[in-house]
Amino acid sequence: MTYQPSELQLERVAYKRSRAVRSVLIAAASTAVLGTVLVVAVTGSPGWQKVKETFLDLDTARSSLPAILDGLVLNLWLLLFCALGALALGLLVAVVKTLRGAVFFPVRALATAYTYGFRGMPLIIVLYVLCYGVPGLRFSWTPPVVVLGGIAIVVTYAAYIAEVFRAGIESVHPSQRAAARSLGLTYWQTMRHIVLPQAVRRVTPALLNDLVALQKDVGLVSIAGVIDAVRAAQIEVATSYNFTPYIIAGLIFVLLAIPLIAVTDWVTLRAARRQSAGGTS
Amino acid sequence: MPRARFALAVGSAALLALAGCGTAADKKSDTKPDAFGCTADKLPTLAKGKLTFGTDNPVYGPWFVDNKPESGQGFESAVAYAVADKLGFPKDQVVWTRVTFNAAIAPGPKAYDIDINEFSITEDRKKAVDFSTGYYDVKQTVIALKSSKIAGATSIAALKGAKLGAQVGTTSYKAITDVIKPTDKPGVYNNNDDAKAALANGTLDGLVVDLPTAFYMTGAEIKDSVIVGQLPPLPGVQQEQFGLVLDKGSKLTGCVSQAVDQLRSNGKLAELAKQWLAGADGARELS
């Protein structure tokens, strides 16, 4: 027997469609009105010409772009290494924090002190201590300041990421752990095969969110003297007294973030669907 | 009232000139602003009857002393008060406001009438702000720790392999990239305190600052440091000069420039430079 919608149902569908069309039209109209008001208000302001020249100057944009892209290379390398480093260290700390047994108290206490300390400490201060303090010790093996800056970012972000991982680990129901142990799996096998896969999947959206934040914060190593994209823009601004390079750098960062944000949204949506679907996955 | 004062000024200047005494020329130039209509009561300043100077926070010696621009101590503070005096603002009618670099050059209403903070005059920058005529001829200078490999360098070529640094947004940084052109990327710091720290802890081989700052840093601030030498001006620049910054199209620019010109021609600028930037000659020139 094939499905035959009733007269009433067809009417309902038609009505729903008409309401949808109507709401789209209203949304479009109100957006157009608001947009027009904003554009007129901004471009009609007495200082618009000056602001346009200062923030949206094509010549300055063109001449500053190579320097900004040059600086962006540093941001991308740092993003890659800091993301991997922070994920690894965060996972390690999270696992250490879940260790049971009196003998592990010292490492547990250390891990707890670490996550408390570095979540509270402003990143810029960690950067100052590592990038200016460590070279001052004058070891013969002092790494370059950009590496020290990377380490500062890793230890700061790993503290956040550790807490995210820990939340994930604790969200796995104890019965899973008990079942695994009763099957004869060791603590590490249980962790590796039962707990972590579920934990990581549950906190992926939160982790990706931290990565988006990390992407912007890697540029803070510029306080150590290295030139990232934003610092390159700042140098261009100081040369020309024109702010357009900041806009260009900002747009590049947005373009970089969009894929990551889109992936975050998609993963979040998928996870939510799976969790609320109740066993259909 | 202004007219009466004008007549009086011209009259007294004429009298002094007629008297023919040796100091007549000086006296005459002192009253000159009136002749150009640059008097305190006619100038459209931000706050009526007051002249507002802007500068960054913190500010450094020898340009300012103890981060207190309002003390009149330090070269730029002294210049600011001398300019104010020329324009008819006595010391108690001068106010200071702290303006960051970005705020100083941004479009839109300015929080200052005149900003003084070692701003070098360049053609590019003139598109965004007004500059007075230059009040100080500046040379970029390399400093280093005595233990540094470049401490004894006598030529620019000897600096090419060094890790050099400068404060962000300065012509000192430009001097590294455009004059020295080192093989290693230069370090760029938020402010001179960070740059000094990087020099002191060995991250940098050398730091580029202007000459008076170089004397101040090597003499008073960084232990065991020396001036390596002075750099030639940037390509295409005859002589780098510091100028006072004013809002683009400010009605004060003409008057402020005249005041600076007079302070230069009557020897006041040289006198202040001698007082505050003493010893700022005689560093080796690198070529």
Side-chain angles (χ1 to χ4, degrees):
Chain A
M1 198 170 87
T2 54
Y3 170 62
Q4 280 287 350
S6 66
E7 279 293 305
L8 197 60
Q9 174 64 10
L10 285 174
E11 223 169 84
R12 263 192 221 118
V13 168
Y15 178 72
K16 266 189 189 156
R17 193 179 296 132
S18 79
R19 297 310 281 183
V21 168
R22 187 168 164 258
S23 70
V24 165
L25 287 178
I26 290 175
S30 78
T31 306
V33 168
L34 183 65
T36 311
V37 166
L38 279 177
V39 167
V40 168
V42 172
T43 58
S45 64
W48 167 242
Q49 199 51 41
K50 184 80 202 138
V51 167
K52 196 175 136 196
E53 280 166 21
T54 314
F55 285 86
L56 305 167
D57 184 62
L58 269 184
D59 285 338
T60 312
R62 218 170 287 135
S63 67
S64 66
L65 191 62
I68 293 173
L69 290 178
D70 207 30
L72 192 68
V73 175
L74 179 77
N75 292 75
L76 293 176
W77 278 115
L78 274 173
L79 176 61
L80 179 67
F81 283 104
C82 292
L84 293 176
L87 283 173
L89 181 60
L91 185 59
L92 179 72
V93 172
V95 170
V96 164
K97 277 185 96 170
T98 59
L99 288 178
R100 296 287 163 255
V103 69
F104 293 119
F105 176 76
V107 281
R108 269 204 316 267
L110 200 66
T112 306
Y114 164 73
T115 52
Y116 267 71
F118 279 92
R119 279 186 302 161
M121 182 79 83
L123 174 55
I124 206 139
I125 290 170
V126 182
L127 279 164
Y128 267 114
V129 170
L130 277 169
C131 297
Y132 288 87
V134 173
L137 298 174
R138 296 191 179 264
F139 293 122
S140 56
W141 42 265
T142 303
V145 283
V146 63
V147 174
L148 292 169
I151 293 172
I153 292 168
V154 166
V155 294
T156 304
Y157 268 83
Y160 294 106
I161 288 174
E163 288 302 290
V164 172
F165 273 131
R166 189 176 67 106
I169 290 170
E170 287 179 355
S171 76
V172 177
H173 200 274
S175 63
Q176 303 251 341
R177 222 179 268 253
R181 297 307 293 274
S182 72
L183 285 174
L185 270 62
T186 66
Y187 178 86
W188 291 112
Q189 283 171 332
T190 309
M191 212 51 177
R192 163 77 187 77
H193 297 287
I194 308 297
V195 180
L196 282 182
Q198 300 186 68
V200 169
R201 205 158 63 190
R202 285 184 193 177
V203 297
T204 304
L207 287 177
L208 287 171
N209 209 30
D210 275 341
L211 285 189
V212 174
L214 180 65
Q215 178 174 323
K216 292 181 291 188
D217 275 359
V218 289
L220 286 177
V221 291
S222 65
I223 66 151
V226 293
I227 304 173
D228 82 314
V230 176
R231 181 50 68 90
Q234 192 185 4
I235 291 168
E236 295 296 315
V237 168
T239 308
S240 61
Y241 282 17
N242 188 301
F243 288 76
T244 310
Y246 282 144
I247 304 288
I248 300 299
L251 286 178
I252 290 174
F253 272 91
V254 172
L255 289 180
L256 276 183
I258 283 175
L260 205 48
I261 292 171
V263 169
T264 310
D265 284 351
W266 176 71
V267 171
T268 312
L269 196 68
R270 205 180 61 150
R273 221 181 263 149
R274 182 180 292 162
Q275 272 161 25
S276 60
T280 55
S281 64
Chain B
M1 186 58 196
R3 194 161 289 276
R5 185 185 288 184
F6 173 66
L8 194 70
V10 171
S12 57
L15 263 179
L16 282 166
L18 279 174
C21 65
T23 56
D26 286 346
K27 293 281 182 210
K28 202 167 140 194
S29 72
D30 273 342
T31 55
K32 228 173 171 181
D34 291 63
F36 290 105
C38 294
T39 54
D41 51 347
K42 280 188 205 156
L43 290 174
T45 54
L46 281 180
K48 188 134 184 65
K50 301 224 184 271
L51 191 61
T52 309
F53 273 96
T55 195
D56 206 346
N57 195 6
V59 283
Y60 300 91
W63 311 105
F64 297 92
V65 174
D66 296 336
N67 195 19
K68 286 193 189 111
E70 61 284 349
S71 66
Q73 309 276 301
F75 180 71
E76 292 198 325
S77 180
V79 167
Y81 282 108
V83 168
D85 189 56
K86 272 281 166 208
L87 298 173
F89 293 92
K91 198 170 178 192
D92 59 351
Q93 283 168 20
V94 173
V95 287
W96 288 86
T97 181
R98 298 306 187 112
V99 184
T100 61
F101 173 79
N102 277 339
I105 61 168
K110 301 289 193 282
Y112 57 81
D113 290 313
I114 306 172
D115 199 291
I116 182 166
N117 192 26
E118 300 116 71
F119 284 104
S120 291
I121 304 169
T122 71
E123 285 308 313
D124 268 344
R125 292 172 174 183
K126 274 186 191 168
K127 289 179 204 151
V129 294
D130 277 3
F131 283 103
S132 73
T133 48
Y135 59 86
Y136 183 72
D137 293 354
V138 61
K139 286 230 165 149
Q140 297 302 327
T141 308
V142 184
I143 65 172
L145 297 184
K146 281 178 184 153
S147 56
S148 164
K149 61 177 181 184
I150 60 161
T154 53
S155 67
I156 290 172
L159 302 174
K160 291 231 188 262
K163 176 82 180 170
L164 299 168
Q167 187 182 338
V168 65
T170 56
T171 37
S172 307
Y173 172 74
K174 279 272 166 209
I176 300 178
T177 57
D178 298 2
V179 177
I180 302 175
K181 299 182 186 140
T183 47
D184 211 350
K185 274 195 176 173
V188 192
Y189 297 88
N190 279 349
N191 51 51
N192 268 339
D193 289 328
D194 288 2
K196 275 183 286 190
L199 184 73
N201 72 18
T203 304
L204 293 178
D205 295 322
L207 178 61
V208 178
V209 289
D210 55 70
L211 185 59
T213 303
F215 271 95
Y216 190 74
M217 281 184 175
T218 53
E221 294 193 314
I222 310 173
K223 235 181 115 213
D224 292 327
S225 58
V226 288
I227 291 181
V228 178
Q230 303 180 51
L231 298 170
L234 293 172
V237 178
Q238 279 291 317
Q239 170 64 57
E240 185 181 345
Q241 286 189 312
F242 289 159
L244 300 164
V245 167
L246 296 99
D247 197 4
K248 184 77 187 159
S250 168
K251 292 191 174 66
L252 302 179
T253 308
C255 288
V256 172
S257 281
Q258 280 166 24
V260 171
D261 287 344
Q262 285 171 23
L263 291 170
R264 182 183 286 273
S265 63
N266 72 11
K268 182 75 177 169
L269 285 178
E271 184 192 308
L272 292 177
K274 205 172 159 199
Q275 183 184 353
W276 296 108
L277 313 176
D281 310 312
R284 173 168 56 206
E285 307 245 0
L286 302 171
S287 56

